[in-house]
């Protein structure tokens, strides 16, 4: 070893805690989720009071986007700066990721220079391959299969407005997609029920959702029945990123799965409406619903930032306080 490299460890320091990732909602236990949600409330309160909270000073977040984003980009970037850290933003188009550098090599390099990584990509397996070769925690910023940061924010938002979600009913109206899969994982861990209604051919796949049982969800052919007495009604775009070629067929298949005032009227009187956004008024939701009094979509979007700050802090520092 040359004198220049003397003393620089070639592996992680001895005694360092094992690296934890957040690749899907089920990567955390119930207790860990409850801790992160509670911590997010404290972090949000400090932010609203203009109190400095630099728990991740000098740490760097790498954000890798292989799909478009507004909320995920802004919430992670602003959040990391608020924690005293900094951010590196990479896309497929402006990095070697788009020029076929193996994901494993990218993981080894990026995780030597940064402290935590957020990735938005296509297949969950790609995210898992990155994580398997990363020295630092990796967060799922959306894959074809899951969107765990969004559901963390949605549950935080529900609790803020209505208290504990345990024992409640969430109606999912629309595609059996990454959001639906993640709601099902969350229901399993946090003790609520999901009423799922999707058009035929777009059902959830329990094995992709990674569920051991069907105990926490019920399937309804009719979306109105799925909404009956629900505490929360939620939906998502009919065509997720990566499925654009199916758009025309989906417009036809999903026509009856638009969240309407009738569906909200069938839900509990104090039911909330959520949508991860971006939304298409007149497709998956009527304007009267998303812009109506039961909608909490703007709180939901803002809360991405607060829960992700708590998540990054937890992955890097563990339990505090
Ligand atoms: N909800 C969400 O993840 O939004 P973006 O695609 O804008 O990041
Ligand atoms: N299901 C959508 C969510 C967008 C935030 C998608 O994957 O495109």
């Amino acid at each position: 070893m040359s004198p220049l490299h003397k003393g620089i460890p070639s592996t992680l320091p001895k005694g360092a805690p094992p690296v934890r990732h957040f690749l899907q909602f089920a990567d955390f236990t119930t207790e860990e989720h409850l801790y992160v949600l509670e911590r997010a409330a404290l972090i949000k309160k400090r932010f609203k009071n203009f109190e400095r909270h630099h728990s991740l000073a000098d740490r760097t977040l790498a954000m890798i986007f292989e799909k478009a984003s507004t909320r995920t980009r802004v919430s992670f970037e602003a959040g990391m700066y608020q924690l005293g850290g900094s951010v590196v933003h990479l896309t497929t188009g402006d990095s070697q990721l788009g020029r076929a550098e193996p994901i494993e090599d990218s993981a080894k390099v990026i995780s030597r220079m940064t402290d935590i990584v957020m990735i938005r990509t296509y297949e969950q397996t790609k995210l898992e391959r990155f994580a398997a070769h990363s020295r630092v925690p990796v967060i799922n910023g959306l894959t074809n299969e899951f969107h765990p940061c969004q559901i963390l924010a949605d549950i935080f938002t529900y609790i803020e407005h209505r208290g504990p979600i345990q024992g409640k009913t969430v109606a999912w109206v629309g595609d059996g997609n990454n959001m639906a899969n993640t709601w099902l994982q969350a229901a399993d861990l946090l003790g609520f029920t999901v009423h799922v209604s999707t058009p035929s051919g777009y059902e959830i796949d329990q094995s992709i959702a990674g569920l051991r049982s069907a105990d926490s969800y019920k399937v309804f052919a009719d979306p109105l029945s799925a909404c009956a007495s629900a505490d929360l009604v939620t939906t998502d775009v009919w065509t997720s990123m990566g499925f654009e070629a199916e758009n025309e067929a989906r417009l036809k298949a999903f026509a009856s799965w638009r969240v309407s005032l009738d569906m909200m009227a069938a839900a509990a009187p104090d039911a909330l409406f959520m949508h991860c956004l971006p939304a298409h008024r007149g497709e998956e939701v009527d304007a009267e619903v998303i812009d109506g009094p039961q909608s909490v979509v703007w709180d939901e979007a803002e809360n991405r930032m607060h829960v992700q700050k708590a998540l990054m802090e937890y992955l890097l520092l563990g339990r505090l306080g």
Side-chain angles (χ1 to χ4, degrees):
M1 187 183 282
S2 76
L4 192 63
H5 292 98
K6 232 173 136 188
I8 298 177
S10 59
T11 57
L12 287 175
K14 281 203 171 68
V19 173
R20 292 288 305 277
H21 303 297
F22 189 58
L23 308 183
Q24 51 184 298
F25 204 87
D27 281 348
F28 281 7
T29 63
T30 305
E31 290 67 32
E32 286 178 309
H33 276 297
L34 295 177
Y35 168 78
V36 170
L37 290 164
E38 202 181 303
R39 185 78 185 164
L42 178 85
I43 287 174
K44 179 172 181 176
K45 196 167 148 214
R46 287 188 180 164
F47 174 75
K48 296 291 178 186
N49 288 337
F50 292 89
E51 283 173 47
R52 183 174 287 190
H53 183 82
H54 280 181
S55 55
L56 297 186
D58 300 329
R59 307 282 184 150
T60 305
L61 164 71
M63 302 191 297
I64 302 171
F65 285 98
E66 299 204 302
K67 289 176 177 171
S69 167
T70 297
R71 278 143 290 268
T72 303
R73 165 92 194 262
V74 177
S75 56
F76 268 105
E77 187 158 345
M80 192 57 177
Y81 287 131
Q82 288 161 22
L83 292 172
S86 43
V87 177
V88 177
H89 176 247
L90 293 164
T91 67
T92 316
D94 64 14
S95 68
Q96 301 290 4
L97 290 160
R99 297 182 66 253
E101 180 166 15
I103 195 80
E104 292 81 2
D105 293 0
S106 302
K108 286 176 191 167
V109 171
I110 293 167
S111 70
R112 278 185 180 230
M113 302 179 195
T114 62
D115 301 284
I116 188 160
V117 180
M118 186 286 305
I119 308 180
R120 168 168 287 196
T121 188
Y122 291 87
E123 299 81 18
Q124 183 76 8
T125 49
K126 197 168 179 185
L127 180 74
E128 285 165 1
R129 281 166 55 207
F130 189 104
H133 293 85
S134 172
R135 287 181 166 193
V136 301
V138 177
I139 297 172
N140 182 347
L142 181 146
T143 56
N144 290 349
E145 290 86 351
F146 298 113
H147 197 3
C149 293
Q150 183 67 55
I151 300 303
L152 204 54
D154 293 3
I155 289 167
F156 181 85
T157 307
Y158 185 86
I159 295 169
E160 258 190 337
H161 283 267
R162 295 284 183 265
I165 197 164
Q166 193 180 11
K168 302 290 182 184
T169 299
V170 174
W172 176 264
V173 176
D175 194 12
N177 64 10
N178 44 10
M179 284 288 296
N181 290 337
T182 315
W183 269 115
L184 297 184
Q185 286 200 347
D188 210 29
L189 277 162
L190 298 177
F192 59 91
T193 304
V194 185
H195 286 182
V196 181
S197 182
T198 67
S200 156
Y202 299 94
E203 293 89 353
I204 49 145
D205 180 328
Q206 196 174 301
S207 64
I208 293 175
L211 295 181
R212 287 167 306 235
S213 79
D215 292 350
S216 55
Y217 73 97
K218 285 186 196 145
V219 174
F220 294 77
D222 172 20
L224 192 68
S225 310
C227 294
S229 304
D231 300 290
L232 166 63
V233 176
T234 186
T235 187
D236 187 12
V237 292
W238 288 345
T239 305
S240 285
M241 292 181 278
F243 296 84
E244 289 81 0
E246 300 173 12
N247 193 40
E248 221 168 295
R250 283 171 174 264
L251 284 176
K252 287 192 193 115
F254 283 77
S256 302
W257 275 263
R258 171 177 309 137
V259 177
S260 60
L261 286 176
D262 284 350
M263 292 185 197
M264 292 308 295
D270 66 344
L272 298 175
F273 172 76
M274 289 192 195
H275 188 311
C276 64
L277 306 176
H280 302 80
R281 289 168 178 78
E283 288 189 19
E284 73 273 8
V285 60
D286 280 329
E288 294 79 3
V289 173
I290 193 168
D291 299 320
Q294 288 165 283
S295 173
V296 290
V297 297
W298 313 121
D299 289 343
E300 199 188 341
E302 177 191 325
N303 284 334
R304 286 289 302 277
M305 185 174 79
H306 306 301
V307 297
Q308 289 160 191
K309 285 166 75 177
L311 173 66
M312 289 191 286
E313 212 185 47
Y314 180 65
L315 287 170
L316 285 173
L317 304 177
R319 278 179 195 249
L320 301 171

